[in-house]
Every structure is written in structure tokens, then in C-alpha cells.
Amino acid sequence: MRDDNQKEYLEEPLKMLRKKVLPKLPPHVQNKVNHEVERLEDLFVDTRAPRFAIVGRRGAGKSTLVNAIFQAPVADIGTVTAETEHASWHTYKNATEEAVMEVLDTRGFGEGDRRRFQTSEEDAWNEALKTRYPDAILFLVKAKEVDARVSEDIEQLKKLREKVSEMHDYLPPVIGVVTQVDELDPAYDSDPPFGEEKLTHITQAKEHLQHMLGEQLSDVAGIFPVCAYTAFKDGEMVYDRRWKIEELIDFLLDQLPETTWMQWARITQAKTIQARIAKTMGKSASAIAGGVGAQPIPLADLPFITGIQLSMIAGIAYVSGRKLDRKGLTEFLGAIGANVGTAFAFRQIARSLGKFTLPVAGHAISGTLAATATWGLCKAAILYYIEKRPAHEAKQAYESRSEPPEAP
Ligand SMILES: Nc1nc2c(ncn2[C@@H]2O[C@H](COP(=O)(O)OP(=O)(O)OP(=O)(O)O)[C@@H](O)[C@H]2O)c(=O)[nH]1
Ligand SMILES: [Mg+2]
């Protein structure tokens, strides 16, 4: 999954910063910069696939939701009997096979499905949870079935959650998902955006599940009514009835550790998520550039600032779904007016850019200037890679310097 370019563009600059620049900074700046470097390391280096437990009765729409998230037919829909005896992890991959999501399939919530199996449900969970735990648990209930024996299922859900907590010292957030809201009355109003009467029924179903979950769990992270229905032909989406899926995806970002964000962005291809992550990178990179730039640093250290900026740009390109290569990056740099000439390696680009990306006054540059320039690059990269705006707009955004928002 990780290739050499990823190493070169995303990891190397951070490594060099950690090794060569951080130790030279005064302690209070060091702490702050270190915090931001750690955050970028979570995003760029220590990445892994997001993991969910998606639980719900047969036909609740678990597989359909996975497909709606991927916008691709990665999971089998329909009533195939569960052949597996054990609760098990499934790995779903996107078309390019670089973004994966892991889903813990717990068989037999409700319905007494369990009785068909030899091993007890709990043993199966124990086995599956040995190796990893879900970052979050999605509890799916059909809109038309929110009042049907849900409390029994919630009991099971609680057990699963406690098991995770026991084994991994991590209490995964629970998100209630009311599925198939298009099936609610009135039946003629089946395509979003829904009319008033439908919306009223959707709200009622949501509130009902909220109430049921709330009675048994004190800390439900959120409840989302959705429609996940899509149809695919030859791998292409030919029908799209999705409703509020993007809201759910966006909410889930906050429930996931930052180490999974890059994957989540690439899986979902949701622009809002890509932009949110890009801004996080931008804030961190700006804070680093600001912190380093505020020091009276020798000219030789400038490439590190440029390196972090390039790393941020590469990160934004990557999060937008691009492959990381020099061509793509130089294209962007050229578009915003940074001519990198014939530099062929990342470090060389960093060096040659150091000369003019940051206007240098004598041997020291101001921290604010470094931070502002970095934030400008971030805004330009978001426009170019994520919003797919024309190059001159990106250039304009880069040139209209504004201060980065306070890093969180
Ligand atoms: N109208 C409508 N149908 C849906 C929606 N989501 C799923 N379905 C249908 O419901 C049926 C079951 O969906 P699946 O996604 O296979 O459900 P599942 O929870 O994975 O089922 P099992 O794997 O058998 O436990 C399929 O026929 C889907 O097309 C939805 O939002 N709206
Ligand atoms: Mg299924």
C-alpha cells in the first residue's frame, strides 16, 4: 500500500524535521512544534485502515451501507446465508486497492440466527477481537422496524462493546443508523429529497431509536437516518438513492483516530472530508513553519520549512485521491507560480524552492510570514486538488496572504 513516493514526500520531511530541526528549537517552541509533527505523523506515517463493527439484523442494510460508503459494489447484497461460523473481519478495498476498510461482521443479531451455529456467539467474538478492535460500532435498524424488539439487540450490542473495552481498553463509540428510510410512508415519496410528510416519519423513527438506545446506553455518539440504496452495473453506479450518507461519513471522521483519516478520505471520496483533513494538515504545517521560522535560523534550515510545505501539498494531493508523483506536484507548483525547474528529487525541489517560496529577509524570516505562506499554499492546494478549480484561482488564493486559523 505504501510506495516509495509516499515515503519520500510524506515521511522524509517529517523525519528530517524531527532529527535536524526540533532539537535546535527552544523548549517552549519545541513542545508546540513537536505536537504538530506528531499530528502529521499520525496522518502521514502511522496510517492504517478504519475499522468498524457494523451490526444489525439480516437485511438491515449492512452490506448496502458499505457499498454506499465506497460508492462501489464491494459488498454482496441480499440474502446469502452466512456460511461463516464465526464473527469475522472482512476487508473491503476500493478500485485502486490502496484504500481499505475493515468490517467486523457479527453474525446473528436478533432473529435467533445464533442457534444455527455450533460455537457460541461470545466465543466467536472473543476470537475475532483477539487481533483487533473496531474504532466504532454502527448499529443498524430498518426504519420500519425501529419498534420491533430492538432492546434485545441493544443488549447484545452492549455486550460486544464491553468485550472490546475489556480486551483492548478502548470503548468504541456507538452510532445508531436508521436504514432504508425511503421505505417509510408515504410510499410514493421514495426518492430524495423527501417531502414533509416523509420527513416527519423519518424524524419519528430517529427519535424512537434515540430513545431506545438512550434507555440502555448513556453515551450514544449520534443517530443518523439514512437511505443507502444504490444500484451498480458493471461496477458503475447506475442508480443513486443515497440520502444523508455524506453527513454520516462526515460524522464518522470525528469518531475515527487520525491515523485512519487518509484511508477514510480515499475510501469515501467525500470532498467535505478531504477538505477538512487538508485544513488539519495546513494548520499543523503552518504552525510548524511558524514555529521554526520564528527562530533566527541559518539559511541552511530553510529547506526544512519548504520540505514541510511540500509534504503538506503532497498530503493534500494524496487525500484528494491523486497518486503521488513528481509530475503532479510540479504541475501544481508551476500553476501557482513556483518554478521548480529541473529538480528531480524531492529534496532538490525543497532546496530550490527554499530560495523563493518564502521571501527571505536576510538570514531570518518571520514566523508569521512562514505560517501565512504555508496557509496560503494549503488554501491553494485545496482549491486545486480537492475543489478542482482552475490554476489561476489557486494562484490567487496563494497570493492573497491570510493568517492561518489558530491550531486546535
Ligand atoms: N429501499 C431500500 N432498500 C434497501 C436499502 N438498504 C438496503 N436495502 C435492501 O435491503 C436488502 C438487504 O440489504 P443488505 O445490504 O444485503 O442487508 P444486510 O444487512 O447486509 O443483510 P445480511 O448480510 O443478509 O445480514 C437488499 O435487498 C437491499 O437492496 C435502502 O436504503 N432502501
Ligand atoms: Mg450483508
Side-chain angles (χ1 to χ4, degrees), residues 18-38:
R18 189 172 273 302
K19 217 167 83 192
K20 305 213 164 135
V21 183
L22 263 183
K24 290 192 213 162
L25 298 173
H28 69 285
V29 186
Q30 202 177 64
N31 273 344
K32 197 177 152 222
V33 171
N34 185 49
H35 178 75
E36 302 301 336
V37 172
E38 271 173 7

Side-chain angles (χ1 to χ4, degrees), residues 57-64 77-78 180 182-183 227-229:
R57 293 186 188 178
R58 312 229 61 193
K62 302 180 290 290
S63 306
T64 304
I77 307 292
Q180 313 190 12
D182 54 317
E183 296 271 319
C227 176
Y229 189 80

Side-chain angles (χ1 to χ4, degrees), residues 5 8-10 13 16 301-314 324-334 336-358 377 385:
N5 283 340
E8 183 180 356
Y9 295 125
L10 301 178
M16 299 216 286
D301 281 353
L302 279 179
F304 292 113
I305 294 182
T306 315
I308 248 351
Q309 293 174 328
L310 276 186
S311 182
M312 171 195 75
I313 294 166
L324 284 184
D325 54 24
R326 192 181 59 90
K327 190 168 157 282
L329 288 178
T330 42
E331 226 172 67
F332 168 77
L333 292 168
I336 62 161
N339 182 8
V340 288
T342 54
F344 56 84
F346 180 73
R347 253 174 264 180
Q348 266 178 301
I349 298 178
R351 266 188 216 113
S352 62
L353 268 185
K355 290 187 203 118
F356 60 91
T357 298
L358 299 161
L377 283 170
Y385 287 114

Side-chain angles (χ1 to χ4, degrees), residues 56-65 76-80 105 140 142 179-183 226-230 241:
R57 293 186 188 178
R58 312 229 61 193
K62 302 180 290 290
S63 306
T64 304
L65 181 64
D76 289 333
I77 307 292
T79 43
V80 256
D105 189 351
L140 272 55
K142 269 191 210 176
T179 60
Q180 313 190 12
V181 298
D182 54 317
E183 296 271 319
V226 301
C227 176
Y229 189 80
T230 51
R241 199 187 265 180

Side-chain angles (χ1 to χ4, degrees), residues 246-260:
E246 189 140 345
E247 276 88 341
L248 174 63
I249 287 172
D250 194 39
F251 181 79
L252 290 177
L253 182 74
D254 295 313
Q255 312 302 316
L256 290 168
E258 287 180 6
T259 48
T260 69

